[in-house]
Every structure is written in C-alpha cells, then in structure tokens.
Amino acid sequence: EPEVTQTPSHQVTQMGQEVILRCVPISNHLYFYWYRQILGQKVEFLFSFYNNEISEKSEIFDDQFSVERPDGSNFTLKIRSTKLEDSAMYFCASSQQGSSYNEQFFGPGTRLTVL
Amino acid sequence: GESVGLHLPTLSVQEGDNSIINCAYSNSASDYFIWYKQESGKGPQFIIDIRSNMDKRQGQRVTVLLNKTVKHLSLQIAATQPGDSAVYFCADAGNMLTFGGGTRLMVKP
C-alpha cells in the first residue's frame, strides 16, 4: 500500500540553525500539507501546497518557513534560524484532490528537537 | 474563535468493552468531520468521517454520531481491543483540517 514517507525520523539541532525536513508524498497525489504537533498538544495546520505554490497557510507559517519541491517526488520544509519553541513533530500529508472531502494520508512525522 | 475540542483527555476501558470518545465543535457552519487515530510515534490515521447531512455512520467496529443541534460528535468503538490504544482526534475538515485536542484511549487487558 502506498504511503507518505518522511526523513529524518528525528532531527536534533542547535537554536539558530537551519533544518530541512523531507517528505515523499504518495506518487499520484497532487495536494500536500504540513502540520506541526508540539508534544502533548493537538495537531496544527501549517500550510497546504498545490501546483508548486502555497495555497493556504496558517498564522504559524511565517517567514521562518519555506517549502520547495526539488524534484517531482520530494518535498522539503525548511525552517530557518530555529527557536526552542519549534521543537515538535512535523507531519507531511498528501491527498489526491484538494477538496475537504478528500482523505489526507499522513507520514510518520519528523521529530525536531531544538537545543 | 472557532475550535474543535474534546471532553476528556484520557479514557480507560476494559478489553472487550465498548468505548465512547466525545468531541464538541463550535463552528455551526462545519459540514464535514473526521476521526483520526494516532498511535505512539506515528502520524494521524483516518478512521471514519461524517458529513453534516448524516447523523450516523458505521464502519468496521466504529460508529460516528453527529448531533448538529448541540454541535457534538462521538466515536464509538465496539469490543475495544488492545490495538485500539492510541490518541483519538476529531477534526473539522473544512478548508483547513482543524484538529481537536485528543483523547488518549487506554485498553486494559
């Protein structure tokens, strides 16, 4: 069964450093999403991505974040100048279509620890 | 602001019993909801969904009930098994998937 994959599973970084989180969505999916989950808290929407551009974003998604699709399959989330409060699980998800009725499939997440 | 929230943070049930997890939402315009299961170290996994034109939907061992009058959702799991132990989130699946705070289900053998 196709699945969303994410690497690394755990990233430890020093405050102020840049990190890149990677995601490989399901191959025939066209819509992509990133979420964040601070330990013990609910999953929070960061942004959605379609047709090589961000289609929607939350207030969490500020200039510290950037996203790229370096090739047709990989998808990266870059966090510049990380802060302690960026420590969280970051989930990538993808769906075939963008309507709210279309199931999003989540990856296993990357745990980011900022020291 | 609009929110999706859960009533209880932890639910402990005996294996074989039925589990009921509740969720309240505040946006009366919400028309589509999803329940997710999140096991330790994994991403959320779709369990079951319901649209606002329904008040009940059944899956395999799971049932979701929607009461639009009081803006309340529940997830019922029949014959709860140890593998059901996880955190369960309800989500308002509008333009942005908005998750509730999560209920941890613990199944006692």
Side-chain angles (χ1 to χ4, degrees), chain A residues 40-103:
Chain A
Q41 298 186 23
K42 63 183 180 181
V43 178
E44 300 173 289
F45 172 81
L46 287 176
F47 69 93
S48 56
F49 190 89
Y50 170 71
N51 200 26
N52 291 318
E53 62 181 21
I54 292 170
S55 48
E56 194 163 12
K57 61 182 181 180
S58 72
E59 58 188 21
I60 302 170
F61 189 80
D62 58 23
D63 292 342
Q64 184 191 15
F65 296 91
S66 63
V67 58
E68 288 182 1
R69 287 203 82 190
D71 56 45
S73 59
N74 292 304
F75 192 39
T76 64
L77 175 66
K78 183 185 294 184
I79 308 175
R80 287 184 283 269
S81 189
T82 50
K83 305 185 291 288
L84 294 177
E85 54 265 37
D86 293 328
S87 295
M89 285 289 290
Y90 288 81
F91 294 104
C92 170
S94 68
S95 65
Q96 283 186 316
Q97 298 175 31
S99 84
S100 60
Y101 296 100
N102 211 258
E103 182 180 350

Side-chain angles (χ1 to χ4, degrees), chain B residues 6-65:
Chain B
L6 297 176
H7 292 306
L8 297 174
T10 304
L11 175 65
S12 184
V13 300
Q14 202 69 40
E15 181 179 356
D17 287 352
N18 296 333
S19 303
I20 300 176
I21 301 171
N22 296 304
C23 178
Y25 63 95
S26 58
N27 183 0
S28 56
S30 297
D31 65 349
Y32 181 51
F33 301 91
I34 302 175
W35 278 99
Y36 284 90
K37 173 185 181 183
Q38 187 178 22
E39 296 175 279
S40 181
K42 297 184 179 180
Q45 179 185 10
F46 177 98
I47 302 173
I48 192 168
D49 59 356
I50 189 166
R51 301 183 187 187
S52 60
N53 60 351
M54 300 185 292
D55 52 21
K56 180 179 180 178
R57 189 158 189 227
Q58 287 185 292
Q60 186 178 16
R61 281 202 307 118
V62 293
T63 301
V64 55
L65 299 177

Side-chain angles (χ1 to χ4, degrees), chain A residues 26-39:
Chain A
I26 294 174
S27 61
N28 63 342
H29 286 187
L30 301 176
Y31 295 81
F32 315 108
Y33 314 84
W34 281 89
Y35 296 85
R36 180 182 79 176
Q37 184 179 29
I38 295 171
L39 183 64

Side-chain angles (χ1 to χ4, degrees), chain B residues 2 6 53 55 76 81 84 91 98:
Chain B
E2 302 294 354
L6 297 176
N53 60 351
D55 52 21
Q76 300 178 1
Q81 302 169 359
D84 295 328
T98 303

Side-chain angles (χ1 to χ4, degrees), chain B residues 58-80:
Chain B
Q58 287 185 292
Q60 186 178 16
R61 281 202 307 118
V62 293
T63 301
V64 55
L65 299 177
L66 174 62
N67 185 330
K68 295 180 287 295
T69 302
V70 296
K71 291 182 283 191
H72 182 270
L73 280 160
S74 67
L75 176 71
Q76 300 178 1
I77 304 174
T80 313

